[in-house]
Amino acid sequence: MAFPWLAAYNVMNKWSLLMNRTFAFIVFAIVLSFSMATAQQPVVPKSLGSQIQGQYLETRSADVYVGQCFANGEMNLSGQEAIVAWHITEGKWDDVSLDGLTIVGAIKAQATLGDPYGKPYPAKSVLIVDREATPQQRDALINFAQTMGGELLRHVVHVVDTRIEMEVAQEEHSTRARLQAGDLVTVETRAIGDKDHLCGNEDTFYKPLTQTVHAMPAVAMTDEYRGKDLNISWTLHNKRSAFVGTFAR
């Protein structure tokens, strides 16, 4: 004769075992899902984010926004000279804050810069450093400029500390900028207009000489370097020879 309480005990025991197995399966499923989700979301290295950013200005002694026929006419005759400038809006270099500081480079190359068949290097350069920089910031600015400029600024013949003022209009795709570096460099740019299209086939023939996030070609109303260390100075007006943009590194 079977006892009713024994049957009830067996039912309860089987039910408890089933619940334990179900709970274990649910826990396993949750752990597995979490592990797969974690494996599918790799950590982005901090090095991929920019540590320094700001505004960029460049001029050359050859047009950068130009038709090919005009560009060919300038090659090997002009374009050996350039000015590059970085204004740091925020960021660090060599663990040194450079917020609000500016550095400028004036370059004399051996051939038209940007010509794929030319041999412009080695080039000579002069670095103009913001006099507001501390000695530590000065060293960081020079290292930053030479890293960004590469071969352009590899052979620095002189470093000058002076007051630098650089202003870039804040509108998107702005091409209006002004740069004054002591009595050595003066640059002022404006947007390219209809009257600047001489042959109707103009395009951005050259790329910027350094790394940029965004850059627009512009007219250099004034492009002037008055130093003596490059054995040449220049004063140019109204050439489609400038870039105005931004950088980040």
Side-chain angles (χ1 to χ4, degrees):
M1 177 178 179
F3 296 97
W5 62 267
L6 183 59
Y9 174 81
N10 290 335
V11 170
M12 291 297 296
N13 189 44
K14 290 179 180 180
W15 175 256
S16 177
L17 181 61
L18 177 62
M19 290 298 295
N20 287 338
R21 289 178 178 177
T22 302
F23 178 77
F25 177 79
I26 292 173
V27 171
F28 174 77
I30 293 173
V31 172
L32 180 61
S33 299
F34 179 79
S35 299
M36 292 178 65
T38 304
Q40 293 173 355
Q41 298 178 4
V43 177
V44 179
K46 291 183 178 180
S47 60
L48 294 181
S50 61
Q51 61 175 337
I52 192 167
Q53 59 187 345
Q55 299 160 335
Y56 177 72
L57 179 60
E58 173 185 318
T59 62
R60 304 194 209 176
S61 56
D63 285 356
V64 298
Y65 185 82
V66 62
Q68 186 170 353
C69 55
F70 280 78
N72 290 339
E74 286 191 317
M75 283 182 183
N76 300 317
L77 298 177
S78 59
Q80 297 94 340
E81 296 80 27
I83 294 170
V84 292
W86 296 269
H87 174 72
I88 294 91
T89 54
E90 61 177 343
K92 294 182 178 181
W93 193 262
D94 292 340
D95 291 326
V96 179
S97 175
L98 300 180
D99 293 4
L101 297 175
T102 307
I103 187 165
V104 180
I107 300 106
K108 174 64 172 72
Q110 299 189 39
T112 301
L113 291 162
D115 177 7
Y117 305 104
K119 297 181 180 180
Y121 304 116
K124 295 191 300 182
S125 60
V126 170
L127 280 178
I128 306 168
V129 182
D130 198 324
R131 73 179 183 187
E132 297 298 321
T134 65
Q136 191 177 18
Q137 288 174 322
R138 183 181 188 270
D139 291 341
L141 277 171
I142 292 172
N143 182 273
F144 163 78
Q146 290 192 294
T147 300
M148 295 293 286
E151 289 295 330
L152 284 172
L153 302 176
R154 185 175 301 277
H155 300 283
V156 177
V157 297
H158 192 51
V159 178
V160 180
D161 298 270
T162 189
R163 180 178 180 180
I164 303 176
E165 297 179 0
M166 180 170 163
E167 299 176 2
V168 177
Q170 296 301 311
E171 301 91 11
E172 187 177 7
H173 305 307
S174 174
T175 51
R176 294 186 296 113
R178 186 183 70 86
L179 171 66
Q180 186 67 52
D183 58 358
L184 293 174
V185 168
T186 301
V187 173
E188 188 171 0
T189 69
R190 63 167 174 82
I192 294 173
D194 293 338
K195 295 182 179 180
D196 300 308
H197 294 267
L198 304 180
C199 69
N201 194 35
E202 286 86 0
D203 198 357
T204 306
F205 189 84
Y206 294 108
K207 295 180 180 179
L209 293 170
T210 74
Q211 176 186 337
T212 62
V213 172
H214 177 70
M216 294 286 291
V219 173
M221 294 186 291
T222 300
D223 173 13
E224 187 171 40
Y225 170 72
R226 296 179 295 274
K228 299 179 180 179
D229 297 292
L230 299 178
N231 297 322
I232 187 174
S233 59
W234 60 88
T235 301
L236 304 170
H237 296 287
N238 297 314
K239 285 182 66 66
R240 301 164 298 178
S241 57
F243 282 107
V244 179
T246 58
F247 72 89
R249 179 105 180 202

